[in-house]
Amino acid sequence: DLTSGASTTIHGLSQSLAVGTYTVRFRSEKATAPTRSVRIHLMDGTSAIVGSSGWQAVTASYALYAVSITTSALATRVGIEAQ
């Protein structure tokens, strides 16, 4: 849960991702106002960002979103940032 203020969570990927472009799908909802946005980062083993999506606004109802990310190096982690 990313629920208050700007926050980020980082998770390991079950498989590493080679350099390339990926579509990342996620589900989210905005529990309360103000407007919330989510951005996804793909990271290397040291948590350095190797690719990021743009900010995706999320709605008040539970919904599925898809963002495109192009990586510049091998990715082994994913970061989810909310604001």
Side-chain angles (χ1 to χ4, degrees), residues 39-56:
R39 178 167 56 181
I40 308 295
H41 303 290
L42 292 175
M43 305 168 159
D44 67 13
T46 66
S47 295
I49 295 171
V50 297
S52 295
S53 72
W55 286 103
Q56 172 66 56

Side-chain angles (χ1 to χ4, degrees), residues 9 29 35 45 54 73:
T9 183
E29 71 178 337
T35 301

Side-chain angles (χ1 to χ4, degrees), residues 60-74:
S61 58
Y62 198 58
L64 177 65
Y65 300 91
V67 294
S68 181
I69 302 174
T70 299
T71 61
S72 59
L74 186 73

Side-chain angles (χ1 to χ4, degrees), residues 6-47:
S7 54
T8 304
T9 183
I10 298 173
H11 303 277
L13 297 172
S14 58
Q15 288 183 283
S16 59
L17 300 175
V19 172
T21 300
Y22 298 91
T23 299
V24 177
R25 292 175 180 82
F26 65 95
R27 291 179 194 214
S28 182
E29 71 178 337
K30 174 185 64 145
T32 58
T35 301
R36 300 286 289 182
S37 296
V38 173
R39 178 167 56 181
I40 308 295
H41 303 290
L42 292 175
M43 305 168 159
D44 67 13
T46 66
S47 295

